[in-house]
Amino acid sequence: VQLQASGGGLVQAGGSLRLSCAASGSILVYNRISWYREAPGKQRELVASVTHGGTANYADSAKGRFAIFADDGNKYTVYLQMNNLKPEDTAVYFCGVDVYAPDSAKGLHWGQGTQVTVSS
């Protein structure tokens, strides 16, 4: 299982970024694809997740500003649209996929991080 994360960058407060996470390899069904972030000196925290069926879940800090959704034509590519970014959103963002099937790939897999920096 491979995950390719992209879309990070430098943006001013109030701006927007869209992160993408492309999952490939031995994945038939996943429980969820999630975005986490890790800021300097802080623990990795969940930002948002979406199930294979399309149900989204958000951290309180992301509600109303971020949207997670799968590509219309490819459920294995998931986007995190981040609007009204704040300096406290600055972190390395990681995507992870919790694979349900096949059994050979079952479990949580991580991609590389992408840096998001929000200037004030």
Side-chain angles (χ1 to χ4, degrees):
V1 175
Q2 297 85 41
L3 292 167
Q4 182 67 44
S6 61
L10 172 64
V11 64
Q12 288 189 328
S16 299
L17 282 174
R18 177 176 288 191
L19 307 183
S20 66
C21 176
S24 62
S26 301
I27 303 174
L28 295 176
V29 180
Y30 58 82
N31 288 313
R32 62 187 54 79
I33 292 180
S34 305
W35 281 99
Y36 285 75
R37 67 186 181 189
E38 193 170 313
K42 295 187 177 181
Q43 289 188 329
R44 190 173 295 191
E45 62 176 0
L46 176 67
V47 178
S49 64
V50 62
T51 67
H52 196 100
T55 301
N57 181 57
Y58 298 94
D60 287 343
S61 59
K63 288 178 182 176
R65 300 188 299 127
F66 295 1
I68 186 169
F69 54 95
D71 186 272
D72 281 345
N74 179 3
K75 283 194 173 185
Y76 303 100
T77 295
V78 167
Y79 303 102
L80 182 67
Q81 177 67 41
M82 304 188 294
N83 300 323
N84 190 22
L85 283 161
K86 303 175 181 180
E88 51 264 43
D89 294 318
T90 295
V92 178
Y93 284 69
F94 298 87
C95 66
V97 60
D98 181 12
V99 176
Y100 178 78
D103 284 345
S104 60
K106 204 160 193 169
L108 182 60
H109 304 265
W110 293 100
Q112 89 286 2
T114 184
Q115 176 71 47
V116 171
T117 303
V118 184
S119 63
S120 56

